Amino acid sequence: MEALGGYPTKSSAFRANLFKVLLSVAVCMGSLYLIQTKLSKSRKPKDFYSYEVKDARGRTVSLEKYRGKVSLVVNVASGSELTEQNYRSLQELHRELGTSHFNVLAFPCSQYGDTESGTSREIEAFARSNYGVTFPVFSKIKIMGSEAEPAFKFITDSVQRIPKWNFWKFLVNPEGQVVHFWKPEEPIEEIRKEVVVRVRDIILKKRQEL
């Protein structure tokens, strides 16, 4: 309703101003939502080294410390028919190529039969005392299902494969991307050849940067 002379009443003017205020608030809220969404996406880990995991004692470890190196990520077990052969060959590979450019990263998993029933600290102690393992043995994780360890899920999503048994091996390059994987029955010599090539690439690159 308008007052005489065609001017709006106070109530209609109030409603118009209120609408403008509400519209401004809605626009601001929308902008904040978009900014928050972009920030959330930008924080999402984009490579293996962007994740954090737990060590055998439950302490948080940033995988960022391995960036710039080649990593062989393995789902290990203490009571498998493959345990002795794999722990010995993995330790030999880890010792041979050193930790300057390469690491074996072991993730115990108890989802494959009754092959890993101990606690994380017991698993680590078993590997060290029986096979002289010096590479990192992290906290026991799940690989399958909704409770899968996010860092390992990145690995399996990258290759679109979930290990069907213990000691699958996944090669992660210095940038944190999965570039190769091997099933347990594949010989360690084939893995060594690929790892050596990747390590040489790192060394050559560093020399060129000097």
Side-chain angles (χ1 to χ4, degrees):
M1 179 179 178
E2 292 184 348
L4 294 177
Y7 293 101
T9 63
K10 290 183 178 179
S11 59
S12 62
F14 175 79
R15 285 197 298 271
N17 289 331
L18 180 61
F19 176 78
K20 290 179 181 178
V21 171
L22 292 174
L23 183 61
S24 298
V25 170
V27 170
C28 288
M29 292 294 288
S31 299
L32 287 172
Y33 174 79
L34 288 173
I35 292 170
Q36 186 177 15
T37 302
K38 288 180 180 179
L39 287 173
S40 297
K41 288 182 178 179
S42 65
R43 290 194 200 105
K44 185 179 179 181
K46 295 179 180 179
D47 61 72
F48 180 69
Y49 300 130
S50 299
Y51 288 88
E52 292 183 341
V53 295
K54 299 289 186 181
D55 68 9
R57 300 185 181 187
R59 298 171 298 194
T60 300
V61 177
S62 172
L63 294 174
E64 191 69 34
K65 66 190 290 187
Y66 301 107
R67 187 178 297 281
K69 304 178 183 182
V70 179
S71 299
L72 190 66
V73 181
V74 189
N75 62 306
V76 300
S78 303
S80 171
E81 74 282 5
L82 305 172
T83 299
E84 181 169 357
Q85 173 190 344
N86 275 273
Y87 264 141
R88 292 194 186 284
S89 59
L90 289 170
Q91 173 57 25
E92 182 181 345
L93 190 64
H94 186 78
R95 179 188 56 78
E96 176 188 335
L97 296 176
T99 59
S100 296
H101 310 295
F102 170 75
N103 287 282
V104 173
L105 305 179
F107 288 84
C109 179
S110 60
Q111 290 182 300
Y112 300 99
D114 190 28
T115 56
E116 195 68 287
S117 56
T119 66
S120 298
R121 295 188 72 168
E122 288 171 343
I123 293 164
E124 181 186 48
F126 172 84
R128 302 221 186 290
S129 62
N130 287 278
Y131 304 109
V133 163
T134 58
F135 52 78
V137 179
F138 295 102
S139 178
K140 187 160 64 172
I141 64 167
K142 290 184 178 179
I143 291 173
M144 299 176 285
S146 60
E147 296 181 31
E149 167 62 45
F152 213 98
K153 190 174 187 306
F154 174 85
I155 296 277
T156 56
D157 284 350
S158 296
V159 297
Q160 294 296 296
R161 292 289 187 90
I162 294 178
K164 295 181 179 180
W165 197 240
N166 311 299
F167 293 101
W168 280 49
K169 302 164 187 77
F170 302 86
L171 191 64
V172 179
N173 70 13
E175 293 72 45
Q177 302 302 322
V178 185
V179 293
H180 212 302
F181 76 93
W182 295 269
K183 296 177 182 179
E185 62 271 18
E186 297 182 71
I188 196 70
E189 279 307 315
E190 293 301 315
I191 300 172
R192 179 183 278 104
K193 288 177 186 177
E194 183 69 23
V195 172
V196 166
V197 169
R198 301 278 175 175
V199 168
R200 282 176 180 168
D201 287 344
I202 294 174
I203 295 171
L204 288 173
K205 185 178 179 180
K206 286 185 176 180
R207 286 177 180 173
Q208 290 170 357
E209 291 174 351
L210 293 176

